[in-house]
Amino acid sequence: LCDGPLRSALTRIGELWRQSPEGIVAEHRAVDICYQLIARLRSALPDPESNAMVAVGAAPPGDPYLLPSAMAAAVVHECGVNARNVGADTPAEALIAATVRYNARMVWISVTREGADDIGPAYIETVRRGVRERGAIVIAGGRALSPRAVRAGDGLHLFATMAELASFTRGLLDER
């Protein structure tokens, strides 16, 4: 759902703002509707076990996109993880603090804002270093994450799709 119909529709709708102010209205309404849909779908899923692994996630400062992190939360929740979405425009220190507060073992970072090469890699590295001693792994992805700017390894995994995130999460849980 996230990688297919929602991504396709939002990509097309996201171009409408270039044509007229009504395009902005259409995009904002579509985002609101999708956010509500994701929240409803997630609430319809079974709750994770009380001892389930906890994951937290967010988007870096200057990245205003709500949906990608909400989608990631729903995907890992579906896998049986207790997901805590911190949201858009989140400082690294706040995401690290959430990792500590919730004793998270997995941290996702959604990099969606175009031109994020100026903050994405440094943000990801700051979070990775900040959660490494807690044994948490970092998962990063998003349309604006350049594989040239960020390299996987040493507790950092990169993904291009929500399906890859789900597969990785299920594998991680199987190992536990």
Side-chain angles (χ1 to χ4, degrees), residues 103-124:
N103 195 27
R105 294 292 170 236
M106 187 167 85
V107 179
W108 75 81
I109 299 171
S110 170
V111 183
T112 308
R113 181 183 60 86
E114 295 301 324
D117 282 350
D118 59 339
I119 193 166
Y123 180 87
I124 291 167

Side-chain angles (χ1 to χ4, degrees), residues 5-142:
L6 288 180
R7 185 179 198 168
S8 297
L10 289 169
T11 298
R12 287 197 322 254
I13 292 168
E15 294 299 315
L16 294 176
W17 68 269
R18 297 176 196 275
Q19 298 168 14
S20 73
E22 287 87 13
I24 295 170
V25 173
E27 179 183 17
H28 287 197
R29 286 295 304 132
V31 167
D32 183 53
I33 290 165
C34 288
Y35 195 83
Q36 291 178 50
L37 171 68
I38 291 165
R40 284 186 182 157
L41 289 172
R42 184 174 169 193
S43 70
L45 295 169
D47 287 333
E49 299 290 328
S50 60
N51 63 345
M53 181 175 73
V54 176
V56 297
D63 193 326
Y65 296 99
L66 299 171
L67 284 178
S69 192
M71 288 176 180
V75 166
V76 299
H77 178 100
E78 180 185 21
C79 294
V81 172
N82 189 344
R84 309 286 177 133
N85 182 18
V86 181
D89 199 20
T90 303
E93 297 76 17
L95 185 53
I96 294 166
T99 304
V100 172
R101 175 184 176 111
Y102 298 117
N103 195 27
R105 294 292 170 236
M106 187 167 85
V107 179
W108 75 81
I109 299 171
S110 170
V111 183
T112 308
R113 181 183 60 86
E114 295 301 324
D117 282 350
D118 59 339
I119 193 166
Y123 180 87
I124 291 167
E125 181 59 21
T126 299
V127 171
R128 188 189 63 77
R129 275 192 262 126
V131 304
R132 179 176 36 195
E133 68 186 38
R134 301 196 53 77
I137 60 167
V138 175
I139 296 168

